[in-house]
Amino acid sequence: MPEHSLPYVVNLSLLFKEVPLLERAAAARAAGFTDVEYWWPFESAVPARDEVDAFVKSLDGVRLRGLNFFAGDMAAGERGLVSWLGREAEFADSLVVALGIAERTGCRSFNALYGNRLDGEDPVKQDDLALTHLATAAEAAAKIGAQLVLEPLSGADRYPLKTAADAVAVLDDLGRDNVRLLADLYHLAVNGDDLDALATTHISRIGHVQIADAPGRHQPGTGALDLEGHLAKLQDAGYDGFVGIEYVPEPDTETSLDWLPKTRRGRA
């Protein structure tokens, strides 16, 4: 028996990459999933209208639960525009696109990656810009009943949010009820954070949870994390949202999902 009963949402920017992005929702649905999430699914902050239409159409039969704002060139190491001085227009443009997708799909959660520290820029000015961007996006999201989530990351030395406390400090400065912590258990564990503190110290601030095992960032059971135990503690403490499956599948997506019975992949 599972130790928790939280529903799962599959991240289609990392799983089902055996097929093109616009075919992944159908593949996930065929595997039993009813709910999906993505990083930014386009190459630029302002995709063509037909690209957006094709993306929305590809979601037929599943529910879009989460979407990242445009985060720059992730493959090149960029990790968000929220605090990136000089790219304000791209952030604003991707906010408009994301809200438009939300209106069409019912998505009500947006991941606003904070952005790396920049050479030659004052970190205080970057943080001030981040608060401005987050406040603007939070106000717009609130109008449709949506939330923003702020995520600590590992493997990105210049990214300033590494622990839950780092993100919560920004939330405190911001003071917006609909901007919350994205607790990715993999990133937090790799950064040496206290996962048990999520259920004790930070539970009231969590807006979304994601998982991968560590080390390796593969499926549960390939590393050393007690993911079931941590998720049970979060549920017992009051978290009742989705758990994002956001790992690098090994050796392939279908095989990597053996840990999760098909009866637990969907939600009515």
Side-chain angles (χ1 to χ4, degrees):
M1 289 289 291
E3 296 182 40
H4 72 89
S5 58
L6 296 170
Y8 287 100
V9 54
V10 61
N11 188 294
L12 296 184
S13 292
L14 277 184
L15 281 88
F16 292 98
K17 291 179 73 173
E18 294 86 357
V19 297
L21 186 136
L22 294 181
E23 298 175 20
R24 292 177 198 167
R29 185 175 67 249
F33 289 99
T34 57
D35 299 271
V36 302
E37 65 183 16
Y38 293 79
W39 299 348
W40 189 248
F42 313 106
E43 292 188 2
S44 67
V46 188
R49 180 175 296 179
D50 61 348
E51 288 182 81
V52 176
D53 290 344
F55 173 69
V56 171
K57 184 178 180 181
S58 78
L59 300 172
D60 184 48
V62 297
R63 293 176 291 242
L64 181 63
R65 293 287 180 179
L67 185 67
N68 286 24
F69 293 137
F70 179 59
D73 187 345
M74 295 277 286
E78 295 177 1
R79 290 294 183 271
L81 305 184
V82 169
S83 64
W84 194 316
L85 296 160
R87 298 184 73 174
E88 294 87 348
E90 287 174 276
F91 179 81
D93 288 341
S94 90
L95 173 60
V96 171
V97 174
L99 290 170
I101 291 172
E103 292 281 13
R104 298 172 64 180
T105 63
C107 179
R108 292 297 182 264
S109 187
F110 304 104
N111 185 2
L113 290 182
Y114 197 81
N116 296 330
R117 291 303 193 207
L118 303 171
D119 289 335
E121 297 287 4
D122 183 351
V124 173
K125 289 185 177 179
Q126 285 196 254
D127 292 338
D128 287 345
L129 177 64
L131 291 177
T132 298
H133 276 159
L134 290 171
T136 299
E139 184 173 349
K143 291 177 181 177
I144 61 169
Q147 69 172 2
L148 309 184
V149 287
L150 201 58
E151 182 179 16
L153 297 179
S154 64
D157 292 342
R158 302 173 73 109
Y159 190 88
L161 308 184
K162 292 181 167 56
T163 66
D166 291 338
V168 167
V170 177
L171 303 184
D172 288 342
D173 288 342
L174 184 65
R176 298 271 180 161
D177 289 341
N178 69 324
V179 187
R180 313 187 76 193
L181 169 67
L182 196 172
D184 185 312
L185 303 191
Y186 167 79
H187 287 307
L188 295 174
V190 168
N191 287 341
D193 210 357
D194 180 1
L195 297 187
D196 287 332
L198 293 172
T200 55
T201 305
H202 301 303
I203 190 64
S204 66
R205 313 305 291 275
I206 295 175
H208 187 41
V209 174
Q210 292 175 331
I211 60 166
D213 214 335
R217 202 181 186 181
H218 302 303
Q219 60 267 27
T222 57
L225 295 185
D226 178 17
L227 293 171
E228 281 285 332
H230 289 301
L231 293 172
K233 289 178 183 178
L234 288 169
Q235 185 173 31
D236 289 345
Y239 180 74
D240 61 359
F242 280 83
V243 175
I245 301 171
E246 196 196 42
Y247 60 72
V248 178
E250 195 175 65
D252 58 74
T253 298
E254 290 287 355
T255 305
S256 80
L257 286 166
D258 285 348
W259 64 277
L260 185 63
K262 282 197 172 184
T263 54
R264 299 206 63 208
R265 299 180 192 181
R267 188 182 192 190

